[in-house]
Amino acid sequence: MNSIATNHINSAFAANVASRYDEALQFGLLATKLASAEPTSWYNLGVAQRGLGQVEAAKKSQKRSADLSHKLVEAQNAIGLEFIFLQAYPDAEKCLVRAIQHAGDYALPYLNLDLAVGRRCAHDGGVAPRQTRGAAPSLGPREPIHERAFPRVA
């Protein structure tokens, strides 16, 4: 990736952090043209689009970012959270399950998956399943998150 693309990605990130979404969108569009295989360019574009209320475009950008970074735990976790903000709960769950598959003892994807499942259930008019205890039921039984995320001290 060239330095111009890197500068656009960093500028998009900075503009998003400052809630200057119009500016972030411009940098994000340039970054995706210059570095279309770089997941952070699509991620930052999606954040800007969400900030501007362009929900469908944001979902497409985040899906592209997720596809380009499917083995990167932190990326899948962050993209999963973006999908929660976009109320795209199945996409959020897919990203967070990918993160968990590569996470080891990294606790955040487990917590965020619980959040996504709870929000999806509430959105669908149901009640969030209390038995998830840090993991979606489709992942099978698991011990509570605090027991698997932190080593035991003898």
Side-chain angles (χ1 to χ4, degrees):
M1 179 171 45
N2 66 43
S3 62
I4 295 172
T6 301
N7 287 341
H8 288 315
I9 290 169
N10 291 338
S11 296
F13 173 78
N16 278 326
V17 169
S19 300
R20 295 188 320 261
Y21 299 116
D22 287 326
E23 184 180 333
L25 180 70
Q26 296 309 311
F27 284 119
L29 290 169
L30 290 169
T32 57
K33 287 180 183 171
L34 294 171
S36 62
E38 178 58 43
T40 55
S41 63
W42 293 100
Y43 175 80
N44 285 318
L45 177 61
V47 171
Q49 291 164 326
R50 176 178 56 87
L52 293 170
Q54 301 171 3
V55 174
E56 291 308 312
K59 287 179 186 178
K60 288 179 185 176
S61 294
Q62 294 304 352
K63 284 181 184 180
R64 180 71 189 263
S65 180
D67 290 343
L68 291 170
S69 63
H70 69 276
K71 291 186 179 180
L72 301 174
V73 174
E74 291 85 358
Q76 290 297 313
N77 184 62
I79 297 164
L81 285 173
E82 274 300 305
F83 280 129
I84 292 171
F85 292 135
L86 294 166
Q87 297 182 351
Y89 303 114
D91 292 319
E93 291 171 29
K94 187 184 304 181
C95 286
L96 294 166
V97 167
R98 277 191 217 148
I100 287 168
Q101 290 170 341
H102 301 286
D105 288 340
Y106 182 52
L108 287 179
Y110 294 96
L111 293 169
N112 292 330
L113 181 59
D114 238 13
L115 176 65
V117 170
R119 294 270 177 96
R120 177 180 44 83
C121 290
H123 184 263
D124 293 344
V127 176
R130 302 304 268 167
Q131 73 274 16
T132 60
R133 303 183 84 191
S138 63
L139 294 177
R142 294 190 178 270
E143 56 189 5
I145 190 165
H146 66 278
E147 292 178 18
R148 79 171 171 270
F150 303 101
R152 295 189 181 175
V153 178

